[in-house]
Amino acid sequence: MNNGTNSQLLKGSLSVVILRLLEEREKMYGYEITQKVKELTAGEMAITEGALYPALHKLEAEGLLTTEIQVVDGRARKYYSLTKDGHREAVSRVSELTAFLQNLQTILNVGFKPAL
Amino acid sequence: MNNGTNSQLLKGSLSVVILRLLEEREKMYGYEITQKVKELTAGEMAITEGALYPALHKLEAEGLLTTEIQVVDGRARKYYSLTKDGHREAVSRVSELTAFLQNLQTILNVGFKPAL
DNA sequence: AATTATACCTAAGACTCGTAGGTATATAAA
DNA sequence: TTTATATACCTACGAGTCTTAGGTATAATT
């Protein structure tokens, strides 16, 4: 995951992003995921393929994703879908990450007094 | 940084947390930082010392922090403060991280329709 | 006397990620 | 026609960050 200038930020969130997107879309292929992230963040965030594909392979090896290859317009696409375990993990990891982000926000807002 | 069950989450935020806390407190020592994070997150988040001290040393080596040793109650404390560069970096990195978190939230909220 | 809290530190390994490559097809531009 | 861009997959290497698991030492508590 790449956020413009600072590229070494927030390791560990990529797999959660993948699982979260697949909760909404039934099945997606790698390239589609990269485009979806760009679209959602107005080009501010980009997933590199060197990170994405190993992450997808790992999730598949862990039994959270299954694959299915389709040829569209002469090009092979490898579609990924959540397994049952993948669904469970998606819910679990998203709520974990959300809790973490809230704690992080709390720390970043130290000393900030909101208007009443 | 440790978030209970999931310990391998969001690498890269520790240095920003350190810089942010030091923006508010003038000077802090390592142990104090670990306690402050626990306090702010109601015990949900804990910084491990094996991550904290190397991170502090690196920030010092980068010229963002300076140190000052004081003995209190027979125990030596190593106080860290922001340098001028440290202040600049704190502002810069906090806004970077905030932008990143917003993008991450957007992705996690895919498909979520807020009530109008 | 033993444990807990305070306070610092490091080494080894795990893990994630970016960079930089590689392969191949389809479409668009030059 | 040739070149570039978009699509679509992949891996190896190295950089960086973290956890685990130790170590040292003093003060306070049990």
Side-chain angles (χ1 to χ4, degrees):
Chain A
M1 209 124 44
N2 189 304
N3 204 21
T5 51
N6 192 330
S7 48
Q8 215 56 256
L9 214 55
L10 296 220
K11 298 178 179 179
S13 52
L14 177 55
S15 65
V16 187
V17 165
I18 293 170
L19 293 173
R20 182 69 189 91
L21 292 179
L22 282 171
E23 274 191 320
E24 290 297 322
R25 289 208 152 217
E26 226 77 9
K27 66 182 183 180
M28 296 181 83
Y29 54 101
Y31 187 79
E32 186 183 8
I33 293 177
T34 67
Q35 299 309 303
K36 187 67 182 171
V37 167
K38 276 188 199 168
E39 178 200 326
L40 287 170
T41 63
E44 285 181 30
M45 233 161 81
I47 293 179
T48 61
E49 298 188 337
L52 177 66
Y53 290 112
L56 286 170
H57 300 160
K58 195 189 177 193
L59 290 170
E60 186 185 6
E62 290 168 346
L64 306 181
L65 302 181
T66 48
T67 60
E68 173 193 346
I69 293 178
Q70 278 180 24
V71 178
V72 179
D73 293 327
R75 288 188 221 91
R77 289 178 183 173
K78 197 166 172 185
Y79 280 95
Y80 289 86
S81 326
L82 290 177
T83 62
K84 206 173 210 175
D85 279 357
H87 270 292
R88 273 196 287 269
E89 271 293 302
V91 171
S92 164
R93 292 199 199 180
V94 167
S95 71
E96 252 177 59
L97 180 52
T98 300
F100 186 92
L101 295 183
Q102 280 175 358
N103 283 325
L104 204 49
Q105 289 286 1
T106 300
I107 294 170
L108 294 182
N109 289 337
V110 160
F112 173 74
K113 314 283 187 213
L116 60 140
Chain B
M1 208 124 44
N2 188 305
N3 205 21
T5 51
N6 192 330
S7 47
Q8 212 60 255
L9 214 54
L10 295 220
K11 299 178 181 180
S13 53
L14 178 55
S15 66
V16 187
V17 166
I18 293 170
L19 293 173
R20 183 68 190 90
L21 292 179
L22 282 171
E23 274 191 320
E24 290 297 321
R25 289 207 152 216
E26 225 78 9
K27 65 182 183 181
M28 296 181 83
Y29 55 100
Y31 187 77
E32 187 184 7
I33 293 177
T34 66
Q35 300 308 305
K36 187 66 182 171
V37 166
K38 277 188 198 168
E39 178 201 325
L40 287 170
T41 63
E44 284 181 30
M45 233 161 80
I47 294 180
T48 61
E49 299 189 337
L52 176 65
Y53 290 112
L56 286 170
H57 300 159
K58 194 188 177 193
L59 290 171
E60 187 186 4
E62 289 169 346
L64 306 181
L65 303 181
T66 48
T67 60
E68 173 194 346
I69 293 178
Q70 278 179 26
V71 177
V72 180
D73 293 327
R75 287 189 221 91
R77 289 178 182 174
K78 197 165 171 185
Y79 280 95
Y80 289 86
S81 327
L82 291 177
T83 63
K84 205 173 210 174
D85 278 357
H87 270 291
R88 274 196 287 268
E89 271 293 303
V91 171
S92 163
R93 291 199 199 180
V94 167
S95 71
E96 251 178 59
L97 179 52
T98 300
F100 186 91
L101 295 183
Q102 280 174 358
N103 283 325
L104 205 48
Q105 289 286 1
T106 300
I107 294 170
L108 294 183
N109 289 336
V110 159
F112 174 74
K113 313 283 186 214
L116 59 140

